[in-house]
Amino acid sequence: MSNFPEDFLWGGAIAANQAEGGYLEDGKGLSIADILPVGEERIQKIPLKLSDDTFYPNHEAIDFYHRYEADIDLFAELGLKCFRTSIAWSRIFPNGDEAQPNEAGLKYYDALFDKLIAKGIEPIVTISHFETPLYLVTTYGGWRNRALIEFYDRYTQVIFERYSDKVTYWMTFNEINHAHTLPLIAAAVDVLDIESEQKRLEVIYQASHNMFVASSKAVINGKKVNSNNQIGCMLSLSPIYPATCNPKDVFESYQLRRRSLFYGDVQLKGKYPTYFQRIVDENHLSLDIRPEDLDIIASGTCDYLGFSFYRSSLHESGMKILGNTGGLLGKKNPYLKENKWGWPIDPLALRYVCNELTDRYDKPLFIVENGIGLKENLDSKGQIIDIERMDYLKKHVEAMSEAIKDGCHILGYTWWGPIDIVSAGTGEMEKRYGFIYVDKNNDGTGSLKRVKKASFNYYKQVIASNGEALNFETYLKGEKNND
């Protein structure tokens, strides 16, 4: 018998900004994602405005905005039981601070969710996935400004009411703990011009606090609208190993890990952990944390922990702390193989993390991002036999199965992404994660034609067997895939 429960949510995950395109259609405003170019620096130091001589891959992306019906038909054929996407905040409130929502944006997600439900696919919705309206950054300074709590509150109340009979599973923010390494996209704050580390930390922790309050208010409001709503937080939680058994390596790795788990501690336990006071004192942080804020945080704890997992990292005491969308960047691990982007492949770490989080929080887990980016092109027969992806999937499903046997309560697993989309970290299309190939190149050229890869039928087999049929040897020779 399968280790996975009968109601396990097998699915796929995307973000609106990486797939939809239609970046100004039907009244949508600009978001942070709409000003990100192609390249390794796209989520670091960038101008907060559009340039006429720059290509922005998110503007068209894979045109999911116009092609979602046919794509969802493919997802249904794949056998997905759920589909995680985000609502683009700037489709609903173009600037973010309007009093009334944009009806055209609301209608789009009505149609999208209706299509998913008609195909038997449960919508899983991220409320804010690196898509803060740009106006809230340039005018208000992003989440460092408490005004965004009110704007987010208004936004969430609208979508909870509108989709109360369509969406049950929500997540308030995507990878909120990236506020330290990717502050612009995760917390909508630009801190690279701040030379003082004390001032930089002050902005990051103030933005984080304001997001905690907003998240808790969303939980409270969402439960009022529909008591069945399950509202989670979402963190990037690839583990950090010490590079050696040197106690300095071990303890500094622990401190780095706790920097991420801090976000889960507040959102899942409903209070600031005791260790945070030392961070405040030693860095001389002046934060606007009000008693009523703490009451809201205590009353609005999240129901489950959604998290992304791609790789592990290896940390040595004193090394510079850097990160990207996959997590922290550390030393090379001699015991692990890497993909073509240098990301270590470490399926045992997924089991490790599930146990770590279960021990710490004793709440349901939802693995909402896991996958491997590969360089791929159609072969002479017009197909892609992606053995490496199938092997990666097999090993991570096995690790998840072992975690369930360990006693971890895992709600579901949404592969990132079931269809090729724009990379969040680099803006590339040619860093491909999907079971479905999209004919588009890094420079924006291509027909956008969809082609099923060999892994499409493999994941279909995994889902249909509820995680039991993991042999992919039948796909070694492969057959020509249909468009």
Side-chain angles (χ1 to χ4, degrees), residues 129-306:
H129 191 135
F130 299 165
E131 293 154 341
T132 305
L134 184 60
Y135 185 79
L136 296 184
V137 182
T138 58
T139 304
Y140 293 91
W143 276 102
R144 76 183 78 188
N145 191 326
R146 288 184 64 94
L148 267 70
I149 298 174
E150 177 186 347
F151 302 146
Y152 184 86
D153 186 45
R154 185 181 304 152
Y155 163 51
T156 58
Q157 288 191 52
V158 166
I159 60 175
F160 283 140
E161 291 282 355
R162 182 71 171 230
Y163 308 121
S164 63
D165 61 342
K166 300 177 183 182
V167 179
T168 300
Y169 288 94
W170 305 83
M171 282 168 279
T172 54
F173 292 99
N174 182 71
E175 297 180 337
I176 186 175
N177 56 313
H178 275 328
H180 287 275
T181 50
L182 306 171
L184 180 59
I185 62 171
V189 290
D190 187 359
V191 299
L192 287 184
D193 289 334
I194 301 177
E195 294 183 1
S196 164
E197 179 63 13
Q198 181 265 338
K199 289 296 183 185
R200 183 179 181 277
L201 280 176
E202 197 165 86
V203 169
I204 288 171
Y205 278 114
Q206 186 63 61
S208 299
H209 172 74
N210 293 340
M211 294 170 82
F212 291 149
V213 177
S215 174
S216 291
K217 292 188 77 171
V219 173
I220 294 166
N221 292 331
K223 295 289 189 179
K224 286 180 180 177
V225 171
N226 187 339
S227 61
N228 292 322
N229 276 336
Q230 295 295 298
I231 305 170
C233 56
M234 196 288 197
L235 308 178
S236 170
L237 289 177
S238 298
I240 304 161
Y241 302 145
T244 71
C245 55
N246 182 331
K248 290 183 178 180
D249 289 353
V250 174
F251 192 72
E252 194 167 298
S253 299
Y254 175 76
Q255 287 182 307
L256 267 180
R257 184 59 168 172
R258 196 163 63 174
R259 189 177 76 171
S260 281
L261 294 174
F262 163 75
Y263 289 83
D265 291 348
V266 177
Q267 293 181 282
L268 292 163
K269 295 182 177 181
K271 61 182 180 180
Y272 276 90
T274 54
Y275 60 80
F276 183 60
Q277 190 59 50
R278 180 169 183 171
I279 295 172
V280 172
D281 292 343
E282 291 190 350
N283 292 285
H284 308 290
L285 304 182
S286 178
L287 302 174
D288 183 6
I289 298 177
R290 305 174 186 180
E292 58 267 32
D293 295 345
L294 299 179
D295 290 340
I296 291 169
I297 289 171
S299 300
T301 55
C302 290
D303 296 307
Y304 65 91
L305 172 55

Side-chain angles (χ1 to χ4, degrees), residues 314-333:
L314 200 61
H315 182 77
E316 183 177 68
S317 174
M319 71 182 296
K320 189 173 183 180
I321 300 169
L322 299 171
N324 59 22
T325 51
L328 291 178
L329 298 171
K331 297 186 67 177
K332 284 188 176 295
N333 191 325

Side-chain angles (χ1 to χ4, degrees), residues 57-164:
N58 299 65
H59 288 190
E60 183 187 46
I62 63 167
D63 197 31
F64 186 72
Y65 189 73
H66 299 107
R67 299 168 185 252
Y68 70 89
E69 291 190 87
D71 287 341
I72 290 172
D73 287 339
L74 284 171
F75 299 158
E77 182 185 344
L78 181 57
L80 298 190
K81 297 182 182 298
C82 70
F83 177 65
R84 177 190 173 215
T85 188
S86 58
I87 294 176
W89 187 349
S90 61
R91 286 203 191 280
I92 312 304
F93 290 95
N95 288 332
D97 65 350
E98 295 90 346
Q100 298 298 323
N102 172 34
E103 180 63 22
L106 290 168
K107 285 183 177 178
Y108 169 72
Y109 292 105
D110 273 324
L112 174 62
F113 299 150
D114 286 345
K115 175 69 177 181
L116 287 168
I117 293 166
K119 288 292 182 177
I121 301 173
E122 176 109 17
I124 312 290
V125 174
T126 312
I127 295 171
S128 181
H129 191 135
F130 299 165
E131 293 154 341
T132 305
L134 184 60
Y135 185 79
L136 296 184
V137 182
T138 58
T139 304
Y140 293 91
W143 276 102
R144 76 183 78 188
N145 191 326
R146 288 184 64 94
L148 267 70
I149 298 174
E150 177 186 347
F151 302 146
Y152 184 86
D153 186 45
R154 185 181 304 152
Y155 163 51
T156 58
Q157 288 191 52
V158 166
I159 60 175
F160 283 140
E161 291 282 355
R162 182 71 171 230
Y163 308 121
S164 63

